């Protein structure tokens, strides 16, 4: 009875604290993820007041949180969206992976952590935070901008890549051999391909089977189906998160919308528990030694994400201002980075990887909304200063030149890029649901 009372007190205090932290973040208009991570650090190993009785339940809640995060992500897209983005935007996805995964892998190798940790840290630095970015786009009123479909396409490709990446990481962390790892990857790709095929061809039938006018029945069926598929996927060493993501893709139409509305509060609750759980298993004293590498990695990969968004938006014919906005919006890292790092922490491959990932996410989840807001005006300011210096240098050279000299580049400056003269439309709807 005593342990039960302690459990209720501890878990109630956790939920209440998360609610208050969420309200503080809402008042300050930024993501609550860093506050949740800090709360976990405060009450975990080496923290101010370590938890005891509720830690096992928090661990289960954290696993459900990952599953719900991936399910809700899958509900955002139809199978047709994924196939279309894969066909038309795959070059942007390849550039995104190359520019942002390689710095993480290189850092792990430079620190002497080995190839498995390099693959894990590559994923941590590669994947942007869909949740933070979606909120930022809404807060800044950019959902109808020309660059927004480019941003969403990159996020969709990253999410789809997780269906391949997570089974690879799971197999590597489990220490299976090449043959077993190849079988696991083949199963994952086969299941993902089969689900996409069934969703495209028979999505309506699947949704009709799951559909119910009673919210209670719809919630139970969708949640039960997701947990069941996630458990089977984990048993096959494919990854529970991938199984949940594929369930979300298979559902469409009114069922997806209804399930999204019903599961959003549960997702927010258990996702918050997940971030706290990750912080619980990170000793605050282990963060200062890795703070410098985390800061260097955050600086480098913020730049590579901006370059990725700029290149992808330029390829799509977006104006120069929109290119900078696209790049700045993609900087934030969050839930996926912590999910990937959490797998490594559970496997115990490298003690410093968890603290480094925590510090890295804390930096970029705070910096990300700032780069989304200020990258474009800052780039415009720097470009203006460079243009003024160039013009003043040209004027000085012209004054010293002969009577037939003409300022170099004057005609180019007068013409400019016509796409930069046009305001971004606000009536264009972004893809997805």
């Amino acid at each position: 009875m005593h342990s039960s009372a302690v459990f209720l007190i501890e878990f109630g205090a956790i939920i209440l604290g998360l609610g208050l932290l969420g309200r503080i973040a809402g008042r300050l208009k930024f993501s609550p993820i860093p506050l949740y991570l800090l709360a976990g650090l405060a009450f975990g190993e080496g923290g101010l007041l370590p938890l005891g009785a509720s830690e096992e339940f928090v661990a289960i809640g954290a696993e459900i949180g990952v599953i719900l995060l991936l399910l809700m992500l899958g509900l955002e897209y139809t199978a047709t969206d994924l196939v279309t983005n894969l066909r038309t935007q795959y070059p942007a996805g390849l550039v995104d992976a190359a520019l942002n995964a390689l710095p993480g892998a290189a850092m792990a190798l430079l620190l002497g952590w080995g190839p498995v940790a390099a693959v894990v840290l590559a994923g941590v630095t590669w994947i942007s935070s869909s949740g933070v970015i979606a909120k930022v786009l809404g807060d800044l009123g950019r959902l109808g901008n020309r660059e927004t479909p480019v941003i969403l396409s990159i996020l969709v490709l990253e999410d789809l890549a997780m269906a391949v990446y997570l089974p690879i990481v799971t197999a590597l962390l489990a220490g299976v051999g090449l043959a077993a790892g190849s079988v696991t990857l083949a199963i994952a790709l086969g299941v993902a391909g089969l689900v996409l095929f069934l969703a495209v061809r028979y999505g309506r039938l699947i949704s009709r089977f799951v559909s119910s006018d009673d919210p209670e029945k719809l919630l139970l069926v969708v949640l039960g189906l997701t947990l069941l598929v996630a458990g089977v996927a984990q048993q096959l060493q494919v990854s529970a998160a991938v199984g949940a993501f594929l369930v979300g893709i298979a559902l469409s139409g009114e069922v997806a919308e209804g399930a999204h509305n019903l599961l959003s509060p549960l997702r927010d609750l258990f996702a918050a528990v997940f971030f706290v759980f990750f912080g619980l298993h990170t000793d605050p004293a282990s963060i200062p030694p890795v703070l410098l590498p985390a800061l260097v990695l955050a600086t480098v990969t913020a730049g590579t994400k901006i370059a990725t968004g700029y290149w992808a938006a330029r390829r799509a014919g977006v104006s120069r201002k929109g290119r900078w906005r696209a790049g700045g919006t993609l900087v934030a890292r969050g839930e996926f980075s912590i999910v990937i790092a959490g797998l490594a922490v559970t496997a115990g491959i490298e003690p410093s990887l968890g603290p480094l990932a925590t510090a890295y996410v804390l930096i970029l989840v705070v910096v990300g909304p700032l780069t989304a807001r200020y990258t474009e005006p800052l780039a415009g300011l720097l470009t203006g200063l460079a243009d003024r210096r160039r013009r003043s240098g040209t004027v000085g050279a012209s004054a010293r030149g002969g009577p037939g000299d003409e300022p170099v580049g004057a005609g180019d400056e007068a013409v400019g890029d016509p796409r930069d003269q046009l305001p971004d439309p606000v009536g264009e709807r972004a893809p997805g649901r």
Side-chain angles (χ1 to χ4, degrees):
M1 183 68 70
H2 174 70
S3 60
S4 175
V6 173
F7 163 75
L8 291 175
I9 292 171
E10 284 189 357
F11 194 66
I14 291 173
I15 300 302
L16 177 61
L18 292 176
L20 295 176
L21 291 175
R23 293 179 65 176
I24 293 172
R27 293 280 181 89
L28 299 176
K29 295 185 177 180
F30 70 89
S31 171
I33 292 176
L35 296 183
Y36 295 157
L37 288 172
L38 291 174
L41 291 173
F43 295 101
E45 301 173 2
L48 300 175
L49 185 61
L51 299 177
S54 62
E55 186 169 350
E56 185 176 351
F57 187 82
V58 170
I60 298 173
E63 192 167 352
I64 294 175
V66 175
I67 291 171
L68 291 179
L69 276 171
L70 272 292
L71 169 66
M72 300 296 284
L73 203 56
L75 290 174
E76 294 289 339
Y77 312 118
T78 64
T80 304
D81 291 335
L82 292 178
V83 173
T84 301
N85 277 283
L86 192 59
R87 287 175 178 171
T88 60
Q89 300 294 338
Y90 73 90
L94 294 175
V95 170
D96 178 36
L99 290 182
N100 298 288
L102 289 179
M107 177 64 75
L109 294 176
L110 287 174
L111 293 172
W113 290 353
V116 176
V119 173
V120 173
L121 195 56
V124 171
T125 59
W126 173 15
I127 306 299
S128 297
S129 171
S130 300
V132 174
I133 290 172
K135 188 175 188 306
V136 167
L137 287 173
D139 291 344
L140 297 179
R142 296 180 181 174
L143 292 175
N145 282 13
R146 287 178 181 171
E147 74 274 6
T148 299
V150 176
I151 296 170
L152 296 179
S153 295
I154 291 175
L155 295 178
V156 169
L157 289 171
E158 289 181 349
D159 298 340
L160 189 58
M162 286 296 96
V164 178
Y165 174 81
L166 287 177
I168 294 175
V169 171
T170 303
L172 289 174
L173 294 175
V176 300
L178 179 61
S182 300
V183 170
T184 299
L185 180 58
I187 292 173
L189 292 176
V191 171
L194 178 62
V195 170
L196 285 175
F197 173 78
L198 293 176
V200 171
R201 295 292 297 271
Y202 306 107
R204 291 183 179 179
L205 293 177
I206 297 173
S207 298
R208 191 179 304 167
F209 171 76
V210 175
S211 178
S212 174
D213 293 332
D214 188 339
E216 178 185 350
K217 294 184 178 62
L218 178 62
L219 174 63
L220 292 174
V221 170
V222 173
L223 184 58
L225 178 63
T226 302
L227 294 175
L228 176 63
V229 172
V232 172
Q234 186 162 321
Q235 191 69 25
L236 295 173
Q237 292 189 346
V238 172
S239 170
V242 171
F245 180 62
L246 293 175
V247 170
I249 292 172
L251 302 179
S252 61
E254 294 182 0
V255 172
E257 185 177 351
H260 191 282
N261 294 334
L262 290 171
L263 289 168
S264 289
L266 282 177
R267 185 271 315 272
D268 294 339
L269 168 63
F270 285 105
V273 171
F274 164 71
F275 291 120
V276 169
F277 177 74
F278 186 83
L280 288 175
H281 287 263
T282 303
D283 188 347
S286 64
I287 290 182
V290 297
L291 195 54
L292 181 59
L295 187 58
V296 171
L297 200 55
T299 303
V300 171
T301 55
T304 53
K305 273 293 182 183
I306 292 174
T308 298
Y310 188 95
W311 183 87
R314 181 180 179 181
R315 179 175 176 269
V318 177
S319 70
R320 188 177 303 160
K321 291 183 178 180
R323 297 172 204 167
W324 287 116
R325 288 196 295 267
T329 304
L330 286 168
V331 167
R333 310 307 203 275
E335 60 274 13
F336 263 134
S337 298
I338 297 299
V339 168
I340 295 166
L343 294 174
V345 170
T346 303
I349 62 161
E350 174 54 52
S352 298
L353 199 152
L356 181 114
T358 302
Y360 175 79
V361 170
L362 282 172
I363 294 169
L364 287 187
V365 81
V366 173
V367 171
L370 299 179
T371 58
R373 186 184 297 267
Y374 296 114
T375 296
E376 181 260 315
L378 181 60
L381 177 63
L382 294 177
T383 302
L385 291 174
D387 288 344
R388 281 197 291 272
R389 287 181 180 178
R390 191 181 73 242
R391 283 198 295 267
S392 62
T394 302
V395 170
S398 177
R400 292 191 299 272
D405 290 340
E406 182 181 355
V408 178
D412 293 340
E413 183 65 33
V415 175
D417 186 346
R419 291 171 298 181
D420 294 334
Q421 315 299 323
L422 297 174
D424 288 336
V426 295
E428 182 183 346
R429 291 184 60 84
R433 298 178 192 157

